[in-house]
Amino acid sequence: MDLDADIQKLPIKKDLWDVVDYINALFKKAIDYGASDIHVEPTEDFLLIRFRKDGDFMIIDKVHPENISAIVTRLKVLSKIKIDENKKPQDGKIVYFYEADDMNVDIRLSTLPTTYGEKVVMRILKQDASLTNIEALWLIDINVEKVREALKSNYWIMLVAWPTGSGKSTTLFGILKHFNPLAYNISTLEDPIEYNIEYVNQSQVKPEIWYTFSTGLRSLVRQDPDIIMVWEIRDKETATLAVEAALTWHLVLSTIHTNSAAGTVQRLINMWVEPFLLASAMKMVISQRLWKRLCQSCKKEHPLKDYEMKKVKDFLAPIVEKDQLENLVFYKWEWCDVCRQTWYKWRLWIHEVLIVWDFLEPLILNKESANAMRTIAIENWMITIVQDALFKALMWETTVEEALKLI
Ligand SMILES: [Zn+2]
């Protein structure tokens, strides 16, 4: 995408007819597109409207400066913030009714005074209804069982997402949805709050006023919680507090940036979390990756080359009965009109679920390498991420070609 060319060729819109309609249409378009943010920014010559989607910006509109005040005022009215205040930043919230899905969508708004006027940024918050449950997270059956079993106890559960933007919030909230918030005290520390969940105490951290994951966690444990979700472990203090919370009988859910399930243990040891505490606090690590899904409109049976089939069998042999490895059928997609338009919707996740059983404890205590831990975990029936991807290829949801890229 060439943003400079996009902005050049777009004409400046002078007559908006009706600002109310214009803004409603803008919200609708943003949600239709699956955008996460709407930026309304005054420049020297026009009001620039951009969407952020999957991390990238797209240019939506250029509006003549004479409309700026009407647009900003309308947004302020909708979000119930002060209309006459334009010297200081303000925060508000808009509830927009999205007809296509027959649901309300919360939009968090913030304003900031800039050189050419107030800039308005809106974050589109997805609603509870769009959240999924454990069964819909693309976990294979054996892993669903492992996750369910692990959630029965009060322990520390980690989720690893590589790379960033691999949908960790969907998984985290999918796990959280497993619990009835009326039967438990569920509290979260988030940055930012992306989904609103009824009866869950969600709290937004604000590092600028020293309300961080670690200071927040200290306060949360005094709130009589059952389940605590910390958006991300970034430092030793948060990691240590999370371990302590797990050891005092709380279920703690959180995420960390590493590149494998076994690497997480390593990462925490490197953060100077005491190995003996880690060994008893940690129960499960889910490593996940966003993956290309086959287009349902054009997928077709696809015979593998001999060497590909051999690789597939080598990978699956340790975990699948021999006779089940005969006559394997795989699919592939050919680009069609549907997927050309909507390829970004065809996504699934692949996982590696590591359960910290007794067999891992001595390795954690001895601070062994991630590789050593991984080897032992595989010997104890951990499905590797390659095997997981191959299972999904066998379910005709992705291709062998994609799965083998992981090796
Ligand atoms: Zn297609």
Side-chain angles (χ1 to χ4, degrees):
M1 207 183 329
D2 185 349
L3 294 174
D4 291 309
D6 285 355
I7 202 164
Q8 288 297 336
K9 67 177 183 233
L10 201 65
I12 296 178
K13 210 175 265 172
K14 192 146 189 216
D15 195 348
L16 291 188
W17 300 102
D18 186 336
V19 171
V20 174
D21 286 349
Y22 179 78
I23 286 171
N24 277 338
L26 193 66
F27 289 160
K28 181 181 180 299
K29 192 173 187 175
I31 300 167
D32 284 348
Y33 278 26
S36 58
D37 305 82
I38 306 171
H39 288 234
V40 176
E41 35 204 347
T43 68
E44 194 171 0
D45 305 314
F46 49 81
L47 187 70
L48 174 64
I49 316 263
R50 294 191 292 170
F51 288 170
R52 189 194 288 278
K53 184 184 146 48
D54 298 333
D56 297 324
F57 274 115
M58 50 210 284
I59 294 177
I60 300 301
D61 216 352
K62 275 156 57 180
V63 179
H64 194 274
E66 72 186 23
N67 299 297
I68 293 182
S69 136
I71 288 180
V72 172
T73 303
R74 174 67 188 158
L75 291 173
K76 286 178 167 177
V77 169
L78 283 173
S79 56
K80 300 181 190 75
I81 59 177
K82 288 186 195 144
I83 296 168
D84 53 352
E85 174 62 80
N86 53 19
K87 303 272 185 295
K88 278 196 299 199
Q90 297 190 77
D91 297 313
K93 200 170 103 174
I94 298 170
V95 179
Y96 169 75
F97 181 69
Y98 183 58
E99 245 171 82
D101 284 353
D102 191 28
M103 65 183 231
N104 283 329
V105 174
D106 288 348
I107 300 174
R108 197 180 54 212
L109 172 144
S110 90
T111 68
L112 187 81
T114 66
T115 316
Y116 299 109
E118 276 175 290
K119 171 172 167 128
V120 183
V121 176
M122 287 163 280
R123 162 66 55 100
I124 297 168
L125 303 167
K126 288 156 223 146
Q127 289 287 308
D128 193 6
S130 66
L131 289 177
T132 182
N133 54 17
I134 294 175
E135 287 70 25
L137 292 175
W138 287 101
L139 288 158
I140 53 174
D141 291 351
I142 180 169
N143 283 337
V144 170
E145 280 316 306
K146 283 180 184 170
V147 172
R148 282 228 193 96
E149 201 50 43
L151 291 179
K152 280 184 190 159
S153 41
N154 298 312
Y155 278 114
W156 197 16
I157 311 287
M158 293 292 291
L159 173 76
V160 178
W162 36 292
T164 325
S166 56
K168 67 178 179 184
S169 50
T170 311
T171 309
L172 217 45
F173 285 102
I175 291 175
L176 215 53
K177 261 201 115 180
H178 182 71
F179 300 94
N180 176 356
L182 288 176
Y184 298 93
N185 176 9
I186 306 180
S187 299
T188 73
L189 291 170
E190 300 176 52
D191 188 22
I193 295 177
E194 283 183 24
Y195 300 94
N196 290 336
I197 314 179
E198 209 171 20
Y199 307 123
V200 170
N201 310 291
Q202 295 173 273
S203 188
Q204 161 85 51
V205 297
K206 289 201 171 69
E208 62 276 19
I209 55 164
W210 298 105
Y211 181 43
T212 60
F213 289 126
S214 57
T215 58
L217 201 45
R218 261 179 224 287
S219 308
L220 260 195
V221 290
R222 290 194 289 267
Q223 288 268 317
D224 185 28
D226 299 298
I227 300 167
I228 299 171
M229 191 194 87
V230 189
W231 188 236
E232 197 177 320
I233 304 282
R234 290 178 188 154
D235 51 58
K236 183 198 171 180
E237 209 187 351
T238 315
T240 311
L241 289 165
V243 167
E244 279 169 15
L247 290 174
T248 48
W249 299 99
H250 303 100
L251 176 69
V252 182
L253 301 170
S254 55
T255 73
I256 195 165
H257 277 294
T258 50
N259 47 23
S260 72
T264 306
V265 180
Q266 205 67 35
R267 178 82 202 282
L268 289 161
I269 291 173
N270 290 341
M271 277 184 183
W272 300 99
V273 176
E274 284 292 344
F276 72 94
L277 294 178
L278 198 59
S280 33
M282 198 135 146
K283 180 70 179 180
M284 174 173 75
V285 187
I286 305 174
S287 165
Q288 74 171 31
R289 200 158 170 165
L290 201 57
W291 207 241
K292 256 188 224 155
R293 190 183 170 200
L294 277 174
C295 168
Q296 305 302 303
S297 305
C298 64
K299 65 180 178 187
K300 261 203 183 128
E301 197 175 325
H302 173 74
L304 294 191
K305 296 192 178 77
D306 287 348
Y307 76 91
E308 287 175 323
M309 189 56 96
K310 185 181 177 303
K311 270 190 186 164
V312 169
K313 287 184 177 174
D314 286 349
F315 271 100
L316 293 180
I319 47 168
V320 174
E321 299 284 347
K322 210 172 174 191
D323 56 334
Q324 288 180 312
L325 287 176
E326 299 307 317
N327 309 317
L328 300 179
V329 177
F330 294 97
Y331 276 53
K332 201 174 171 168
W333 63 359
E334 307 173 355
W335 288 90
C336 71
D337 285 343
V338 175
C339 52
R340 244 189 280 272
Q341 300 297 324
T342 57
W343 60 269
Y344 53 83
K345 285 188 183 167
W346 304 109
R347 286 285 193 269
L348 55 77
W349 286 288
I350 51 173
H351 307 91
E352 207 167 85
V353 177
L354 173 72
I355 303 291
V356 184
W357 289 124
D358 304 347
F359 60 81
L360 268 184
E361 267 180 40
L363 285 90
I364 298 176
L365 294 177
N366 291 332
K367 303 185 184 180
E368 301 259 4
S369 70
N371 263 341
M373 290 188 210
R374 191 179 146 81
T375 308
I376 293 280
I378 292 170
E379 280 169 18
N380 286 275
W381 301 103
M382 179 176 79
I383 308 292
T384 68
I385 205 145
V386 180
Q387 289 167 335
D388 192 86
L390 287 173
F391 273 130
K392 281 157 191 168
L394 269 172
M395 292 151 67
W396 305 335
E397 297 290 1
T398 187
T399 65
V400 167
E401 200 182 348
E402 285 295 316
L404 293 180
K405 278 183 192 164
L406 285 162
I407 302 169

